[in-house]
Amino acid sequence: MSVSGMRRRATVGLAALAATAFTAVAVTPDQAEAHSKPVDVQLLAINDFHGNLEPPTGSSGTIDGQTAGGAEYLASHLKAMRAAAQQQGKGTVTVAAGDLIGASPLLSAAFHDEPTIEEMNLAGLEFASVGNHEFDEGAKELLRMQRGGCHPVDGCADGTPFEGAKFKYLSANAFKTSTGLPLMQPFGIKIVKGVPIGFIGMTLEGTPNIVSQQGVAGLRFTDEADTANKYAKILKLLGVKSIVVLLHEGGVQNGGGINDCTGFSGPIVDIANRMDPAIDVIVSGHTHAAYNCNINGKLVTSASSFGRLVTDINLKIDPRTRDVVSASANNVVVTRDVAKDPASTELITRYKTALGPVADRIVGETTEAITKTQENLYQTGVDANGKPTYQTGESPLGNVIADAQLAATDNEQNAVAAFMNPGGVRADVDAGPVTYAEAFTVQPFANNLVTLDLTGAQLYCMLEQQFTVARVLYASSTVHYVVDVNGTTAPAGTPCAGTRVVRGSLTINGTPVTDTATYRVTVNNFLAGGGDGFSVLTGGTNAVTGQIDLDAFTAYLTEKSPVSAPALDRIQTTAEVPAA
Protein backbone atom coordinates (compact mmCIF):
# COMPACT_ATOMS: atom_id res chain seq x y z
CA MET A 1 0.00 0.00 0.00
CA SER A 2 1.26 3.50 -0.84
CA VAL A 3 1.78 6.19 1.79
CA SER A 4 -1.18 8.12 0.45
CA GLY A 5 -3.27 4.95 0.63
CA MET A 6 -2.29 4.47 4.25
CA ARG A 7 -3.30 8.04 5.02
CA ARG A 8 -6.68 7.58 3.33
CA ARG A 9 -7.24 4.36 5.26
CA ALA A 10 -6.33 6.06 8.55
CA THR A 11 -8.69 8.96 7.78
CA VAL A 12 -11.55 6.63 6.89
CA GLY A 13 -10.97 4.61 10.07
CA LEU A 14 -11.06 7.73 12.25
CA ALA A 15 -14.16 9.00 10.49
CA ALA A 16 -15.94 5.72 11.10
CA LEU A 17 -14.97 5.81 14.75
CA ALA A 18 -16.18 9.38 15.09
CA ALA A 19 -19.48 8.55 13.42
CA THR A 20 -20.05 5.67 15.82
CA ALA A 21 -19.19 7.84 18.80
CA PHE A 22 -21.46 10.65 17.62
CA THR A 23 -24.40 8.28 17.45
CA ALA A 24 -23.60 7.05 20.95
CA VAL A 25 -23.64 10.51 22.54
CA ALA A 26 -26.81 11.89 21.04
CA VAL A 27 -28.65 13.58 23.92
CA THR A 28 -32.11 15.07 23.49
CA PRO A 29 -32.92 18.59 24.73
CA ASP A 30 -35.45 17.06 27.12
CA GLN A 31 -32.72 14.96 28.73
CA ALA A 32 -30.48 17.98 29.26
CA GLU A 33 -33.25 20.19 30.60
CA ALA A 34 -34.32 17.45 33.04
CA HIS A 35 -31.40 18.44 35.24
CA SER A 36 -31.71 21.80 36.97
CA LYS A 37 -28.63 21.13 39.12
CA PRO A 38 -25.16 19.85 38.28
CA VAL A 39 -25.03 16.13 37.59
CA ASP A 40 -22.97 14.20 40.14
CA VAL A 41 -20.75 11.49 38.67
CA GLN A 42 -18.46 9.12 40.51
CA LEU A 43 -15.34 7.72 38.86
CA LEU A 44 -13.68 4.81 40.66
CA ALA A 45 -10.09 4.40 39.47
CA ILE A 46 -7.27 1.92 39.94
CA ASN A 47 -3.91 1.46 38.25
CA ASP A 48 -0.95 -0.93 38.16
CA PHE A 49 -2.83 -3.96 39.48
CA HIS A 50 -0.24 -6.32 37.95
CA GLY A 51 -2.29 -9.46 38.42
CA ASN A 52 -2.28 -9.36 42.22
CA LEU A 53 -5.31 -11.58 42.69
CA GLU A 54 -4.25 -12.81 46.10
CA PRO A 55 -3.39 -10.28 48.83
CA PRO A 56 0.17 -9.05 48.19
CA THR A 57 2.68 -9.64 50.96
CA GLY A 58 5.54 -7.68 52.53
CA SER A 59 5.76 -3.98 51.77
CA SER A 60 3.67 -4.60 48.63
CA GLY A 61 0.71 -5.48 50.87
CA THR A 62 0.63 -2.38 53.04
CA ILE A 63 -0.12 1.28 52.47
CA ASP A 64 -0.85 4.24 54.71
CA GLY A 65 -0.01 2.04 57.71
CA GLN A 66 -2.61 -0.62 56.85
CA THR A 67 -2.56 -4.05 55.24
CA ALA A 68 -4.33 -3.73 51.92
CA GLY A 69 -5.07 -5.33 48.58
CA GLY A 70 -6.35 -8.62 47.23
CA ALA A 71 -8.90 -9.04 44.45
CA GLU A 72 -11.62 -10.40 46.76
CA TYR A 73 -11.43 -7.26 48.89
CA LEU A 74 -10.99 -4.88 45.95
CA ALA A 75 -14.14 -6.18 44.28
CA SER A 76 -16.10 -5.82 47.53
CA HIS A 77 -14.90 -2.24 48.05
CA LEU A 78 -15.75 -1.27 44.47
CA LYS A 79 -19.24 -2.73 44.70
CA ALA A 80 -19.90 -1.03 48.03
CA MET A 81 -18.62 2.34 46.77
CA ARG A 82 -20.77 2.12 43.63
CA ALA A 83 -23.82 1.19 45.68
CA ALA A 84 -23.28 4.14 48.02
CA ALA A 85 -22.93 6.52 45.07
CA GLN A 86 -26.08 5.23 43.44
CA GLN A 87 -28.01 5.74 46.68
CA GLN A 88 -26.87 9.36 46.58
CA GLY A 89 -28.17 9.73 43.03
CA LYS A 90 -24.77 9.68 41.38
CA GLY A 91 -23.89 8.00 38.14
CA THR A 92 -20.75 5.88 38.35
CA VAL A 93 -17.99 4.63 36.05
CA THR A 94 -15.08 2.33 36.98
CA VAL A 95 -11.81 2.90 35.14
CA ALA A 96 -8.13 1.96 35.22
CA ALA A 97 -4.86 3.57 34.09
CA GLY A 98 -2.90 0.62 32.76
CA ASP A 99 -0.70 -2.30 33.82
CA LEU A 100 -3.61 -4.41 34.95
CA ILE A 101 -1.61 -7.37 33.69
CA GLY A 102 2.07 -8.18 33.20
CA ALA A 103 4.73 -8.58 35.89
CA SER A 104 2.09 -10.67 37.64
CA PRO A 105 2.33 -13.28 40.39
CA LEU A 106 2.28 -16.93 39.33
CA LEU A 107 -1.45 -17.45 39.84
CA SER A 108 -2.21 -15.00 37.03
CA ALA A 109 0.94 -15.27 34.92
CA ALA A 110 0.78 -19.07 34.63
CA PHE A 111 -2.46 -18.61 32.67
CA HIS A 112 -1.22 -15.66 30.56
CA ASP A 113 -3.12 -13.25 32.84
CA GLU A 114 -6.52 -14.55 31.80
CA PRO A 115 -7.53 -14.76 35.50
CA THR A 116 -6.89 -11.04 35.99
CA ILE A 117 -8.95 -10.06 32.95
CA GLU A 118 -11.79 -12.23 34.23
CA GLU A 119 -11.45 -10.69 37.69
CA MET A 120 -11.62 -7.16 36.26
CA ASN A 121 -14.84 -8.22 34.51
CA LEU A 122 -16.24 -9.36 37.86
CA ALA A 123 -15.12 -6.12 39.50
CA GLY A 124 -17.15 -4.03 37.06
CA LEU A 125 -14.33 -2.31 35.17
CA GLU A 126 -15.55 -0.37 32.11
CA PHE A 127 -12.55 1.42 30.56
CA ALA A 128 -8.79 0.90 30.96
CA SER A 129 -5.80 2.48 29.27
CA VAL A 130 -3.08 0.21 27.96
CA GLY A 131 0.10 0.27 30.07
CA ASN A 132 3.59 -0.77 29.04
CA HIS A 133 3.21 -4.17 30.73
CA GLU A 134 0.16 -4.97 28.62
CA PHE A 135 2.76 -5.40 25.84
CA ASP A 136 4.91 -7.93 27.72
CA GLU A 137 3.67 -10.75 25.46
CA GLY A 138 3.20 -8.58 22.39
CA ALA A 139 0.40 -6.83 20.53
CA LYS A 140 -1.35 -10.00 19.37
CA GLU A 141 -1.63 -11.25 22.92
CA LEU A 142 -3.00 -7.88 24.05
CA LEU A 143 -5.66 -8.09 21.36
CA ARG A 144 -6.50 -11.60 22.60
CA MET A 145 -6.96 -10.16 26.09
CA GLN A 146 -9.58 -7.81 24.62
CA ARG A 147 -11.30 -10.19 22.24
CA GLY A 148 -10.95 -13.53 23.99
CA GLY A 149 -10.03 -16.96 22.69
CA CYS A 150 -7.66 -19.64 23.96
CA HIS A 151 -3.90 -19.10 23.93
CA PRO A 152 -2.44 -20.22 20.57
CA VAL A 153 0.11 -22.50 22.26
CA ASP A 154 -1.16 -23.35 25.73
CA GLY A 155 -4.87 -23.34 24.97
CA CYS A 156 -7.31 -22.60 27.78
CA ALA A 157 -5.26 -24.20 30.53
CA ASP A 158 -7.92 -23.98 33.22
CA GLY A 159 -10.35 -25.97 31.10
CA THR A 160 -12.84 -23.14 30.53
CA PRO A 161 -13.24 -20.78 27.56
CA PHE A 162 -11.60 -17.37 27.78
CA GLU A 163 -14.11 -14.75 26.65
CA GLY A 164 -11.82 -11.73 26.91
CA ALA A 165 -12.33 -8.34 28.53
CA LYS A 166 -15.86 -7.05 28.95
CA PHE A 167 -14.29 -3.65 29.58
CA LYS A 168 -12.75 -1.63 26.78
CA TYR A 169 -8.98 -1.28 26.52
CA LEU A 170 -8.07 2.16 25.14
CA SER A 171 -4.82 3.46 23.65
CA ALA A 172 -4.83 6.57 21.51
CA ASN A 173 -1.07 6.77 20.95
CA ALA A 174 -0.01 3.20 20.08
CA PHE A 175 -0.04 2.84 16.31
CA LYS A 176 0.60 -0.01 13.87
CA THR A 177 3.58 1.01 11.76
CA SER A 178 2.24 -0.97 8.78
CA THR A 179 -1.02 0.96 8.50
CA GLY A 180 -0.71 4.06 10.68
CA LEU A 181 -3.92 3.04 12.47
CA PRO A 182 -4.31 2.88 16.26
CA LEU A 183 -3.77 -0.62 17.65
CA MET A 184 -6.68 -0.23 20.06
CA GLN A 185 -9.74 2.00 20.24
CA PRO A 186 -8.44 5.51 21.12
CA PHE A 187 -11.35 6.66 23.23
CA GLY A 188 -14.66 5.59 24.69
CA ILE A 189 -17.79 7.49 25.61
CA LYS A 190 -20.39 6.76 28.24
CA ILE A 191 -23.60 8.70 28.87
CA VAL A 192 -24.07 9.12 32.60
CA LYS A 193 -27.26 10.72 33.90
CA GLY A 194 -27.88 12.13 30.42
CA VAL A 195 -24.40 13.65 30.07
CA PRO A 196 -21.69 12.19 27.78
CA ILE A 197 -18.24 11.65 29.29
CA GLY A 198 -15.24 10.89 27.09
CA PHE A 199 -12.38 8.66 28.17
CA ILE A 200 -9.11 8.86 26.22
CA GLY A 201 -6.65 6.01 26.80
CA MET A 202 -2.94 6.78 26.75
CA THR A 203 0.17 4.56 26.91
CA LEU A 204 3.43 6.16 27.94
CA GLU A 205 5.46 7.26 24.93
CA GLY A 206 8.60 5.63 26.32
CA THR A 207 7.14 2.12 26.22
CA PRO A 208 9.71 0.85 23.66
CA ASN A 209 12.51 1.70 26.12
CA ILE A 210 11.11 -0.42 28.95
CA VAL A 211 9.51 -3.37 27.14
CA SER A 212 11.32 -6.07 25.20
CA GLN A 213 11.63 -5.28 21.51
CA GLN A 214 9.55 -8.36 20.67
CA GLY A 215 6.71 -6.94 22.75
CA VAL A 216 6.45 -3.70 20.75
CA ALA A 217 7.45 -5.02 17.32
CA GLY A 218 5.46 -3.31 14.57
CA LEU A 219 4.32 -0.46 16.79
CA ARG A 220 5.16 3.19 17.33
CA PHE A 221 4.14 5.43 20.23
CA THR A 222 3.44 9.14 20.02
CA ASP A 223 3.62 12.04 22.47
CA GLU A 224 1.01 11.74 25.23
CA ALA A 225 -0.04 15.39 25.43
CA ASP A 226 -0.14 15.99 21.68
CA THR A 227 -2.22 12.86 21.10
CA ALA A 228 -4.59 13.57 23.98
CA ASN A 229 -5.15 17.09 22.63
CA LYS A 230 -5.96 15.70 19.21
CA TYR A 231 -8.66 13.42 20.56
CA ALA A 232 -9.96 16.04 22.97
CA LYS A 233 -10.71 18.21 19.93
CA ILE A 234 -12.51 15.30 18.27
CA LEU A 235 -14.56 14.70 21.40
CA LYS A 236 -15.52 18.38 21.58
CA LEU A 237 -16.65 18.27 17.96
CA LEU A 238 -18.84 15.32 18.93
CA GLY A 239 -20.44 17.34 21.70
CA VAL A 240 -18.47 15.71 24.54
CA LYS A 241 -17.23 18.40 26.92
CA SER A 242 -16.43 16.29 30.01
CA ILE A 243 -13.12 14.60 29.21
CA VAL A 244 -11.03 12.19 31.26
CA VAL A 245 -7.60 10.91 30.22
CA LEU A 246 -6.56 7.48 31.47
CA LEU A 247 -2.79 7.88 31.25
CA HIS A 248 -0.19 5.25 32.02
CA GLU A 249 2.48 7.72 33.09
CA GLY A 250 2.91 9.51 36.38
CA GLY A 251 4.96 11.23 39.01
CA VAL A 252 6.05 10.97 42.63
CA GLN A 253 5.71 12.95 45.82
CA ASN A 254 8.42 13.82 48.29
CA GLY A 255 7.06 12.66 51.64
CA GLY A 256 3.33 13.30 51.21
CA GLY A 257 0.43 11.06 52.21
CA ILE A 258 -1.85 9.11 49.91
CA ASN A 259 -4.03 12.17 49.25
CA ASP A 260 -1.28 14.78 49.11
CA CYS A 261 0.76 16.37 46.33
CA THR A 262 3.91 17.28 48.25
CA GLY A 263 7.03 18.23 46.29
CA PHE A 264 5.46 16.59 43.26
CA SER A 265 7.60 15.84 40.20
CA GLY A 266 7.78 13.49 37.25
CA PRO A 267 6.93 13.28 33.54
CA ILE A 268 3.23 13.83 34.13
CA VAL A 269 3.80 17.43 35.23
CA ASP A 270 4.94 18.51 31.76
CA ILE A 271 2.31 16.32 30.11
CA ALA A 272 -0.52 17.82 32.17
CA ASN A 273 0.73 21.35 31.58
CA ARG A 274 0.65 20.79 27.82
CA MET A 275 -2.79 19.19 27.70
CA ASP A 276 -5.83 21.00 26.32
CA PRO A 277 -7.80 22.92 28.99
CA ALA A 278 -10.84 20.92 27.87
CA ILE A 279 -9.35 17.87 29.63
CA ASP A 280 -10.73 17.84 33.15
CA VAL A 281 -9.21 14.79 34.87
CA ILE A 282 -6.08 12.70 34.40
CA VAL A 283 -6.17 9.28 36.04
CA SER A 284 -2.52 8.27 36.00
CA GLY A 285 -0.22 5.40 36.96
CA HIS A 286 3.10 3.71 36.14
CA THR A 287 5.10 5.07 39.09
CA HIS A 288 3.19 3.00 41.68
CA ALA A 289 2.81 6.17 43.73
CA ALA A 290 -0.28 7.58 45.43
CA TYR A 291 -1.19 11.24 44.98
CA ASN A 292 -4.04 13.66 44.51
CA CYS A 293 -2.94 16.80 42.64
CA ASN A 294 -4.19 19.80 40.74
CA ILE A 295 -1.92 20.59 37.80
CA ASN A 296 -2.78 23.46 35.49
CA GLY A 297 -6.43 23.26 36.45
CA LYS A 298 -6.67 19.49 35.98
CA LEU A 299 -7.33 16.92 38.69
CA VAL A 300 -4.45 14.42 38.52
CA THR A 301 -4.68 11.22 40.56
CA SER A 302 -2.98 7.88 41.12
CA ALA A 303 -3.95 4.91 43.32
CA SER A 304 -0.48 3.47 43.98
CA SER A 305 -0.41 -0.19 42.88
CA PHE A 306 -1.51 -3.82 43.38
CA GLY A 307 -5.13 -2.91 44.18
CA ARG A 308 -4.30 -1.36 47.54
CA LEU A 309 -6.16 1.89 46.84
CA VAL A 310 -9.21 3.02 44.91
CA THR A 311 -9.42 6.66 43.84
CA ASP A 312 -12.96 7.93 44.45
CA ILE A 313 -13.42 10.88 42.07
CA ASN A 314 -16.46 13.14 42.24
CA LEU A 315 -17.40 15.19 39.19
CA LYS A 316 -20.07 17.85 39.03
CA ILE A 317 -21.18 18.41 35.44
CA ASP A 318 -23.36 21.20 34.12
CA PRO A 319 -26.10 19.43 32.13
CA ARG A 320 -26.53 22.42 29.77
CA THR A 321 -22.88 22.91 28.82
CA ARG A 322 -22.01 19.22 29.42
CA ASP A 323 -18.76 20.40 31.00
CA VAL A 324 -17.21 19.58 34.36
CA VAL A 325 -17.65 22.46 36.81
CA SER A 326 -15.75 20.85 39.70
CA ALA A 327 -13.70 17.73 40.35
CA SER A 328 -12.37 16.28 43.60
CA ALA A 329 -10.81 12.99 44.62
CA ASN A 330 -10.04 10.82 47.61
CA ASN A 331 -7.75 7.78 47.68
CA VAL A 332 -9.43 5.05 49.75
CA VAL A 333 -7.48 2.15 51.24
CA VAL A 334 -8.67 -1.31 50.14
CA THR A 335 -8.71 -2.75 53.65
CA ARG A 336 -9.09 -6.45 54.36
CA ASP A 337 -11.75 -6.01 57.03
CA VAL A 338 -14.65 -6.40 54.61
CA ALA A 339 -16.35 -9.55 53.41
CA LYS A 340 -14.66 -11.21 50.44
CA ASP A 341 -16.47 -11.02 47.14
CA PRO A 342 -17.78 -14.58 46.58
CA ALA A 343 -17.37 -14.55 42.80
CA SER A 344 -13.74 -13.44 43.15
CA THR A 345 -13.11 -16.17 45.71
CA GLU A 346 -14.52 -18.77 43.32
CA LEU A 347 -12.29 -17.52 40.50
CA ILE A 348 -9.13 -17.62 42.64
CA THR A 349 -9.98 -21.10 43.95
CA ARG A 350 -10.58 -22.40 40.44
CA TYR A 351 -7.24 -21.18 39.15
CA LYS A 352 -5.32 -22.34 42.24
CA THR A 353 -6.75 -25.81 41.66
CA ALA A 354 -5.70 -25.69 38.00
CA LEU A 355 -2.23 -24.51 38.97
CA GLY A 356 -1.65 -27.51 41.22
CA PRO A 357 1.09 -28.06 43.82
CA VAL A 358 3.94 -26.36 41.93
CA ALA A 359 3.19 -23.00 43.53
CA ASP A 360 3.77 -24.28 47.06
CA ARG A 361 7.06 -26.05 46.38
CA ILE A 362 9.77 -24.79 48.76
CA VAL A 363 12.80 -23.56 46.83
CA GLY A 364 14.85 -22.13 49.69
CA GLU A 365 14.86 -20.30 52.97
CA THR A 366 15.86 -16.87 54.24
CA THR A 367 17.06 -15.87 57.70
CA GLU A 368 15.23 -12.55 57.46
CA ALA A 369 12.99 -10.56 55.20
CA ILE A 370 14.95 -9.43 52.13
CA THR A 371 13.40 -6.37 50.53
CA LYS A 372 13.56 -4.76 47.12
CA THR A 373 13.72 -1.34 48.79
CA GLN A 374 16.41 0.85 47.28
CA GLU A 375 18.72 2.72 49.62
CA ASN A 376 19.79 6.31 49.00
CA LEU A 377 23.02 6.58 47.06
CA TYR A 378 23.77 10.28 46.80
CA GLN A 379 22.10 13.65 46.92
CA THR A 380 21.23 15.12 43.54
CA GLY A 381 19.86 18.47 44.65
CA VAL A 382 16.81 19.93 46.34
CA ASP A 383 13.15 19.99 45.38
CA ALA A 384 10.79 22.97 45.19
CA ASN A 385 10.30 22.81 48.96
CA GLY A 386 14.00 22.82 49.76
CA LYS A 387 14.12 19.14 50.71
CA PRO A 388 17.03 17.01 49.47
CA THR A 389 16.45 14.70 46.52
CA TYR A 390 18.34 11.47 45.97
CA GLN A 391 19.34 9.01 43.29
CA THR A 392 18.37 5.59 44.66
CA GLY A 393 21.02 2.92 44.74
CA GLU A 394 21.46 -0.62 46.01
CA SER A 395 18.73 -3.03 47.11
CA PRO A 396 19.22 -6.09 49.35
CA LEU A 397 17.13 -8.34 47.12
CA GLY A 398 18.54 -6.79 43.97
CA ASN A 399 22.04 -7.68 45.16
CA VAL A 400 20.95 -11.27 45.87
CA ILE A 401 19.55 -11.60 42.36
CA ALA A 402 22.72 -10.21 40.78
CA ASP A 403 24.73 -12.74 42.81
CA ALA A 404 22.39 -15.51 41.66
CA GLN A 405 22.86 -14.56 38.02
CA LEU A 406 26.63 -14.55 38.40
CA ALA A 407 26.53 -17.94 40.13
CA ALA A 408 24.52 -19.34 37.21
CA THR A 409 27.09 -18.21 34.61
CA ASP A 410 30.50 -18.01 36.26
CA ASN A 411 31.55 -21.57 35.49
CA GLU A 412 29.76 -22.28 32.22
CA GLN A 413 30.31 -18.84 30.64
CA ASN A 414 33.30 -17.56 32.64
CA ALA A 415 31.30 -14.54 33.80
CA VAL A 416 33.09 -12.32 36.31
CA ALA A 417 30.26 -9.85 37.02
CA ALA A 418 26.47 -9.55 36.74
CA PHE A 419 24.08 -6.60 36.69
CA MET A 420 20.31 -6.59 37.28
CA ASN A 421 17.79 -3.90 36.30
CA PRO A 422 15.80 -2.54 39.26
CA GLY A 423 12.46 -2.71 37.45
CA GLY A 424 12.81 -6.48 37.21
CA VAL A 425 12.66 -6.99 40.97
CA ARG A 426 8.94 -6.92 41.70
CA ALA A 427 8.39 -7.97 45.33
CA ASP A 428 10.04 -8.63 48.69
CA VAL A 429 10.91 -12.04 50.10
CA ASP A 430 9.62 -12.73 53.62
CA ALA A 431 11.66 -14.46 56.34
CA GLY A 432 11.53 -18.25 56.41
CA PRO A 433 10.70 -20.77 53.66
CA VAL A 434 10.43 -19.36 50.13
CA THR A 435 7.93 -21.00 47.80
CA TYR A 436 8.18 -21.16 44.02
CA ALA A 437 5.18 -18.83 43.80
CA GLU A 438 6.95 -16.24 45.99
CA ALA A 439 10.11 -16.46 43.91
CA PHE A 440 8.05 -16.10 40.73
CA THR A 441 6.41 -12.96 42.10
CA VAL A 442 9.90 -11.48 42.56
CA GLN A 443 10.99 -12.33 38.99
CA PRO A 444 7.94 -12.89 36.76
CA PHE A 445 9.26 -11.90 33.33
CA ALA A 446 10.97 -15.15 32.24
CA ASN A 447 13.95 -13.23 30.85
CA ASN A 448 16.92 -15.26 29.70
CA LEU A 449 20.37 -14.58 31.07
CA VAL A 450 22.82 -13.31 28.47
CA THR A 451 26.58 -13.37 29.02
CA LEU A 452 28.61 -11.13 26.74
CA ASP A 453 31.99 -9.48 26.34
CA LEU A 454 32.32 -5.84 27.36
CA THR A 455 35.45 -3.75 27.38
CA GLY A 456 36.37 -1.80 30.48
CA ALA A 457 35.48 1.38 28.61
CA GLN A 458 32.02 0.00 27.88
CA LEU A 459 31.57 -0.92 31.54
CA TYR A 460 32.42 2.60 32.64
CA CYS A 461 30.06 3.94 30.00
CA MET A 462 27.27 1.63 31.24
CA LEU A 463 27.74 2.87 34.80
CA GLU A 464 27.63 6.49 33.64
CA GLN A 465 24.50 5.72 31.65
CA GLN A 466 22.80 4.67 34.90
CA PHE A 467 22.57 8.30 35.91
CA THR A 468 21.40 9.50 32.51
CA VAL A 469 18.45 7.09 32.59
CA ALA A 470 17.99 7.42 36.40
CA ARG A 471 18.20 3.67 37.03
CA VAL A 472 21.07 2.33 39.11
CA LEU A 473 21.78 -1.31 38.27
CA TYR A 474 22.21 -3.93 40.98
CA ALA A 475 25.74 -5.32 40.82
CA SER A 476 27.08 -8.71 41.88
CA SER A 477 29.38 -8.92 44.90
CA THR A 478 32.43 -9.01 42.62
CA VAL A 479 31.81 -5.39 41.58
CA HIS A 480 32.75 -2.24 43.52
CA TYR A 481 33.00 1.39 42.43
CA VAL A 482 32.74 4.94 43.74
CA VAL A 483 30.26 7.63 42.73
CA ASP A 484 31.29 11.29 42.81
CA VAL A 485 28.41 13.24 44.34
CA ASN A 486 29.71 16.37 42.63
CA GLY A 487 30.17 14.74 39.25
CA THR A 488 28.17 15.55 36.14
CA THR A 489 25.48 13.44 34.54
CA ALA A 490 25.86 12.82 30.84
CA PRO A 491 23.06 14.20 28.66
CA ALA A 492 20.94 11.74 26.71
CA GLY A 493 22.73 10.60 23.57
CA THR A 494 26.22 10.90 25.04
CA PRO A 495 26.19 8.37 27.91
CA CYS A 496 29.97 8.06 28.15
CA ALA A 497 30.47 11.77 28.78
CA GLY A 498 29.42 11.76 32.44
CA THR A 499 31.74 12.05 35.41
CA ARG A 500 29.62 10.43 38.12
CA VAL A 501 31.78 7.30 38.37
CA VAL A 502 35.26 7.98 39.72
CA ARG A 503 37.76 6.82 37.12
CA GLY A 504 39.97 4.04 38.46
CA SER A 505 37.51 3.10 41.22
CA LEU A 506 35.76 0.28 39.35
CA THR A 507 37.07 -3.12 40.38
CA ILE A 508 36.03 -6.68 39.59
CA ASN A 509 37.19 -9.29 42.09
CA GLY A 510 39.40 -6.61 43.61
CA THR A 511 41.28 -5.86 40.39
CA PRO A 512 40.93 -2.40 38.76
CA VAL A 513 39.05 -2.41 35.47
CA THR A 514 41.03 -1.02 32.52
CA ASP A 515 39.50 0.45 29.39
CA THR A 516 41.12 -1.94 26.91
CA ALA A 517 40.61 -5.22 28.77
CA THR A 518 37.62 -7.46 28.04
CA TYR A 519 35.27 -8.83 30.70
CA ARG A 520 32.55 -11.49 30.57
CA VAL A 521 29.43 -9.89 32.06
CA THR A 522 25.95 -11.35 32.65
CA VAL A 523 22.71 -9.36 32.26
CA ASN A 524 19.21 -10.42 31.22
CA ASN A 525 18.06 -10.33 27.61
CA PHE A 526 15.99 -7.19 28.29
CA LEU A 527 19.12 -5.23 29.27
CA ALA A 528 21.21 -6.87 26.56
CA GLY A 529 18.76 -5.48 24.01
CA GLY A 530 19.22 -1.94 25.31
CA GLY A 531 16.25 -2.01 27.69
CA ASP A 532 15.77 0.79 30.24
CA GLY A 533 17.93 2.98 28.00
CA PHE A 534 21.20 1.03 28.45
CA SER A 535 22.13 1.34 24.79
CA VAL A 536 25.81 0.65 25.45
CA LEU A 537 24.99 -3.00 26.15
CA THR A 538 23.90 -3.53 22.55
CA GLY A 539 27.58 -3.18 21.66
CA GLY A 540 28.56 -6.29 23.62
CA THR A 541 30.07 -9.18 21.67
CA ASN A 542 30.20 -12.98 21.87
CA ALA A 543 26.81 -13.10 23.54
CA VAL A 544 25.58 -16.46 24.81
CA THR A 545 21.98 -16.91 25.93
CA GLY A 546 21.49 -19.02 29.02
CA GLN A 547 18.78 -20.11 31.44
CA ILE A 548 15.70 -18.22 32.61
CA ASP A 549 16.44 -15.66 35.34
CA LEU A 550 13.86 -17.22 37.69
CA ASP A 551 15.57 -20.59 37.42
CA ALA A 552 18.88 -19.00 38.37
CA PHE A 553 17.23 -17.28 41.33
CA THR A 554 15.54 -20.42 42.67
CA ALA A 555 18.71 -22.51 42.19
CA TYR A 556 20.67 -19.94 44.19
CA LEU A 557 18.10 -19.94 47.00
CA THR A 558 18.25 -23.73 47.14
CA GLU A 559 22.05 -23.94 47.12
CA LYS A 560 22.74 -21.06 49.51
CA SER A 561 19.91 -21.55 52.03
CA PRO A 562 19.45 -20.06 54.46
CA VAL A 563 20.08 -16.79 52.61
CA SER A 564 20.59 -13.49 54.45
CA ALA A 565 20.34 -9.93 53.18
CA PRO A 566 23.76 -8.91 51.83
CA ALA A 567 25.55 -5.74 52.86
CA LEU A 568 24.92 -2.69 50.69
CA ASP A 569 28.59 -1.93 50.12
CA ARG A 570 29.08 -2.42 46.40
CA ILE A 571 28.67 1.26 45.56
CA GLN A 572 30.39 3.92 47.62
CA THR A 573 30.25 7.70 47.34
CA THR A 574 32.80 10.45 47.76
CA ALA A 575 30.68 11.98 50.53
CA GLU A 576 28.34 10.61 53.15
CA VAL A 577 24.65 10.91 52.21
CA PRO A 578 22.81 12.99 54.83
CA ALA A 579 19.79 11.48 56.56
CA ALA A 580 16.54 12.04 54.68
Side-chain angles (χ1 to χ4, degrees), residues 18-315:
T20 302
F22 185 81
T23 301
V25 302
V27 179
T28 68
D30 290 341
Q31 286 177 308
E33 292 300 326
H35 297 281
S36 58
K37 297 180 180 180
V39 175
D40 286 320
V41 177
Q42 175 196 64
L43 305 181
L44 296 178
I46 63 172
N47 53 275
D48 297 276
F49 184 71
H50 289 292
N52 277 262
L53 298 170
E54 296 184 284
T57 60
S59 62
S60 297
T62 62
I63 196 165
D64 199 35
Q66 304 177 70
T67 55
E72 297 157 298
Y73 304 107
L74 175 61
S76 290
H77 277 274
L78 287 171
K79 290 177 181 178
M81 294 167 79
R82 283 194 292 262
Q86 289 165 358
Q87 287 181 351
Q88 297 169 15
K90 297 180 181 179
T92 182
V93 188
T94 303
V95 299
D99 277 10
L100 295 173
I101 59 175
S104 304
L106 182 62
L107 183 61
S108 185
F111 302 96
H112 300 281
D113 279 318
E114 292 172 15
T116 295
I117 298 298
E118 293 175 354
E119 175 57 34
M120 291 297 109
N121 291 341
L122 293 176
L125 185 64
E126 297 178 67
F127 297 105
S129 60
V130 175
N132 55 285
H133 280 288
E134 263 84 13
F135 290 102
D136 282 353
E137 294 191 47
K140 287 185 179 179
E141 180 67 357
L142 171 57
L143 292 173
R144 188 178 76 87
M145 292 294 98
Q146 179 71 79
R147 300 168 181 170
C150 294
H151 190 272
V153 176
D154 296 333
C156 286
D158 72 319
T160 64
F162 176 59
E163 297 179 354
K166 294 180 181 178
F167 59 91
K168 184 63 67 176
Y169 261 127
L170 305 173
S171 182
N173 65 328
F175 294 89
K176 302 175 188 177
T177 53
S178 60
T179 64
L181 296 174
L183 175 69
M184 312 294 289
Q185 184 172 313
F187 61 85
I189 301 169
K190 182 176 180 179
I191 298 177
V192 184
K193 298 288 184 178
V195 177
I197 304 175
F199 298 89
I200 303 172
M202 203 67 57
T203 309
L204 74 158
E205 184 183 8
T207 292
N209 297 325
I210 55 177
V211 172
S212 69
Q213 293 306 297
Q214 299 94 318
V216 293
L219 300 173
R220 67 179 179 88
F221 298 81
T222 58
D223 181 87
E224 301 96 336
D226 291 345
T227 309
N229 292 345
K230 167 186 171 183
Y231 284 103
K233 290 178 181 177
I234 292 172
L235 286 169
K236 287 188 290 183
L237 288 173
L238 297 175
V240 181
K241 303 297 179 63
S242 297
I243 302 174
V244 178
V245 173
L246 308 177
L247 169 64
H248 192 71
E249 180 60 287
V252 293
Q253 294 191 70
N254 186 358
I258 61 173
N259 280 298
D260 294 330
C261 190
T262 305
F264 192 72
S265 63
I268 197 169
V269 176
D270 173 67
I271 294 170
N273 280 325
R274 291 191 293 116
M275 279 189 179
D276 192 310
I279 294 169
D280 304 291
V281 178
I282 304 172
V283 177
S284 67
H286 186 55
T287 59
H288 292 202
Y291 46 82
N292 187 345
C293 298
N294 186 302
I295 302 176
N296 196 23
K298 301 173 181 65
L299 179 65
V300 180
T301 69
S302 176
S304 187
S305 61
F306 308 148
R308 293 174 292 172
L309 295 177
V310 173
T311 307
D312 188 353
I313 300 171
N314 184 67
L315 305 179

